[in-house]
Amino acid sequence: MDNSSCIIRGGTVVCADRVLPDHDVVVIDGRIASIEPSSVSDFDAQPDSVVGVLPVVDARGAYVAPGLIDIHSDYVENVASPRPSVVMDLSTSLYKADRELVSHGVTTIFHSLSVYGAHIFDHKPIRDFGNVSALIDRVAALRAGEERDHLIRHRLHMRVELDSVDLYDDIEEFLRSGKVDLVSFMDHTPGQGQYRDLLVFGDTLKGYRDVSDEEVRDIVRQQQESQKMTYAQITALASIARERGVSIASHDDDSAEKLAFMDGLEATISEFPISLDVAREARARGMHTIAGAPNVMLGHSHSGNLSAREAVQAGAIDVLCSDYYPAALLDAVFTLRDCCGLDIARAFSLVSINPAKAAGIADEVGSLAVGKRADILLVREISCGEPAVRSSGAPAQGASRRTMPVVTRAFVGGHSVFRSHYPDQPCGYGRDLAVCDKAVRAPRAACVEVM
């Protein structure tokens, strides 16, 4: 056995459709070999001969959950370009993102890189096509070192704005190259989609740029009159994506007619449908529907569109993504449990098995099941000292104090890639893969170790 084998013992195992308290997850050579009732009542007792050679991780008091899968994340742009005028080294930025994302429980990330014609809002140099192309190449190169040189799995979501007509040949080349795992077609033209309300568009634009009402009207007119990809071009790109096994997503769907068009392209994902009726129509067509986890945390859409909490409760949204805030994914799971009464297994499915299905990778990752890659989290809840409340404002049932979920261990392909310990929280490691020496010497000092 190598260091991708272990027993994760005694935790509450979150499967795709149920929760199993006091269960062990046995990992052998990077895959889940079995999930079974905890074999010993005394943690320090010697395991039986079958698993006696495996290291043991103490998961008592923790949720043992699948690694989170984020299929729409702009986060790497913020790492690579921390200020609008600065672009840091791109390879280094991906390593930095690697470390941050795993701390939030993300074990598979789809970096969402945008191909734009015009830059309506603030001009980000990281979104210049030269930088986007370089990032696409670097993300593709990370796969060769997966489960060896990197903490998590990196994938590519290419976002194609329909005004990027001059870049059509480049987009086609990337789709044919095998470097793209998911493609979405976007149209941010004001007057439809996300910005169907022109007042919302104007307020959003003013948040990025110092412009007058007259200048806003000029920008609206220019965008509405700008050249867009033709039906034939969109159809051709979608055909290439299907041939390459690349999942196709629509973006900011605002009508049944747009859904019908995207359904005709065999799109399987509707990102950020703008109303509950549209989200329900997308689900009725068999499409996966995505909302932002920050929307769940805020309790509303920042642009006045669909409420993710309402849509999840109605069964109209089945996938959450981090969009621009990776920390929101795990927090949203527990917010939906505490504020909306959602079953914890269903809440986790929104950020694990459902996005895996949407992206076509559910055979390998996305749930804790025998045979799958062992991408596993240990999640513990720590008290925030604040009253827990439902969305109605009433105290949450069965909870007098609000808690915050934290990732204390993360495994990718069975390899231990992240560990953390909070003050006044027991280490709970038992006979673990390694001893957290700092926590042993100074129990009240926070300890974070990445292995």
Side-chain angles (χ1 to χ4, degrees):
M1 305 291 179
D2 62 14
N3 62 358
S4 63
S5 301
C6 66
I7 304 170
I8 300 173
R9 171 150 292 164
T12 298
V13 177
V14 182
C15 298
D17 58 353
R18 63 194 187 282
V19 173
L20 303 173
D22 300 319
H23 270 61
D24 297 345
V25 178
V26 179
V27 177
I28 297 178
D29 294 334
R31 292 189 181 272
I32 298 174
S34 67
I35 301 174
E36 54 199 40
S38 211
S39 58
V40 289
S41 57
D42 180 356
F43 185 83
D44 294 323
Q46 181 67 30
D48 61 44
S49 59
V50 176
V51 295
V53 297
L54 298 180
V56 177
V57 177
D58 185 1
R60 290 173 299 175
Y63 286 105
V64 180
L68 310 186
I69 296 174
D70 191 357
I71 62 176
H72 184 117
S73 170
D74 306 336
Y75 177 67
V76 72
E77 291 184 346
N78 296 326
V79 178
S81 185
R83 289 190 174 181
S85 60
V86 172
V87 176
M88 307 300 289
D89 178 76
L90 299 181
S91 295
T92 301
S93 298
L94 285 165
Y95 274 92
K96 301 300 184 185
D98 206 50
R99 293 170 61 88
E100 179 73 15
L101 291 166
V102 74
S103 73
H104 296 304
V106 177
T107 55
T108 300
I109 185 71
F110 282 69
H111 297 290
S112 303
L113 304 181
S114 301
V115 180
Y116 284 107
H119 296 274
I120 303 175
F121 300 109
D122 58 334
H123 177 248
K124 296 180 179 181
I126 192 63
R127 289 188 171 181
D128 289 342
F129 189 67
N131 287 324
V132 172
S133 298
L135 264 172
I136 291 174
D137 289 337
R138 283 164 174 77
V139 170
L142 295 181
R143 294 190 185 191
E146 197 166 280
E147 296 188 14
R148 186 188 68 238
D149 300 329
H150 309 287
L151 302 178
I152 66 174
R153 306 183 193 280
H154 295 263
R155 299 292 182 266
L156 195 284
H157 172 179
M158 185 165 67
R159 305 173 61 196
V160 178
E161 186 72 25
L162 296 188
D163 71 350
S164 53
V165 178
D166 293 341
L167 297 170
Y168 179 87
D169 291 340
D170 300 280
I171 295 167
E172 179 180 343
E173 183 179 349
F174 273 124
L175 283 173
R176 293 188 185 280
S177 71
K179 297 176 181 178
V180 177
D181 303 283
L182 191 158
V183 61
S184 57
F185 294 101
M186 310 184 299
D187 186 357
H188 286 98
T189 302
Q192 56 81 56
Q194 180 179 355
Y195 298 116
R196 69 195 187 285
D197 186 328
L198 292 179
L199 291 177
V200 170
F201 173 79
D203 289 343
T204 303
L205 186 62
K206 289 177 182 178
Y208 285 96
R209 296 164 58 180
D210 183 15
V211 291
S212 66
D213 289 341
E214 183 177 353
E215 289 171 319
V216 169
R217 288 192 290 271
D218 286 340
I219 291 170
V220 168
R221 178 182 53 79
Q222 292 167 10
Q223 287 300 306
Q224 291 178 340
E225 295 175 356
S226 66
Q227 185 180 5
K228 304 292 194 300
M229 289 186 187
T230 65
Y231 172 80
Q233 288 176 314
I234 298 170
T235 301
L237 292 177
S239 177
I240 295 167
R242 293 194 303 270
E243 290 170 5
R244 299 293 305 183
V246 174
S247 297
I248 301 172
S250 186
H251 190 83
D252 292 342
D253 295 317
D254 60 359
S255 67
E257 290 75 20
K258 183 176 180 182
L259 286 173
F261 171 71
M262 294 305 299
D263 199 6
L265 299 179
E266 299 183 30
T268 57
I269 302 170
S270 173
E271 292 190 314
F272 313 115
I274 58 91
S275 72
L276 188 59
D277 287 343
V278 173
R280 282 173 167 156
E281 174 67 17
R283 293 294 295 137
R285 289 178 174 273
M287 301 173 77
H288 293 280
T289 49
I290 300 181
N295 185 320
V296 172
M297 300 305 298
L298 293 169
H300 58 83
S301 163
H302 70 86
S303 56
N305 293 321
L306 178 67
S307 163
R309 292 189 191 183
E310 178 186 356
V312 168
Q313 289 179 285
I317 290 293
D318 71 327
V319 175
L320 295 177
C321 68
S322 73
D323 197 2
Y324 55 89
Y325 185 48
L329 273 183
L330 185 61
D331 286 348
V333 169
F334 287 82
T335 296
L336 288 169
R337 181 199 68 179
D338 295 338
C339 297
C340 303
L342 208 67
D343 173 79
I344 195 70
R346 182 184 167 200
F348 264 108
S349 72
L350 297 167
V351 294
S352 54
I353 188 60
N354 291 354
K357 289 177 179 177
I361 57 175
D363 288 346
E364 283 288 292
V365 295
S367 63
L368 302 186
V370 173
K372 287 196 175 183
R373 300 301 299 170
D375 293 2
I376 302 173
L377 307 177
L378 269 61
V379 178
R380 300 180 186 272
E381 295 183 81
I382 63 174
S383 174
C384 293
E386 301 174 8
V389 296
R390 289 190 179 277
S391 54
S392 63
Q397 183 177 2
S400 59
R401 288 293 172 187
R402 178 171 168 257
T403 61
M404 179 177 67
V406 295
V407 177
T408 57
R409 292 297 298 266
F411 299 83
V412 172
H415 296 279
S416 177
V417 294
F418 176 81
R419 156 184 291 173
S420 68
H421 176 60
Y422 283 77
D424 297 323
Q425 299 295 315
C427 255
Y429 292 147
R431 189 187 305 132
D432 209 336
L433 295 180
V435 175
C436 184
D437 292 332
K438 183 176 179 182
V440 171
R441 293 194 303 270
R444 296 185 61 83
C447 174
V448 177
E449 179 181 346
V450 178
M451 297 179 292

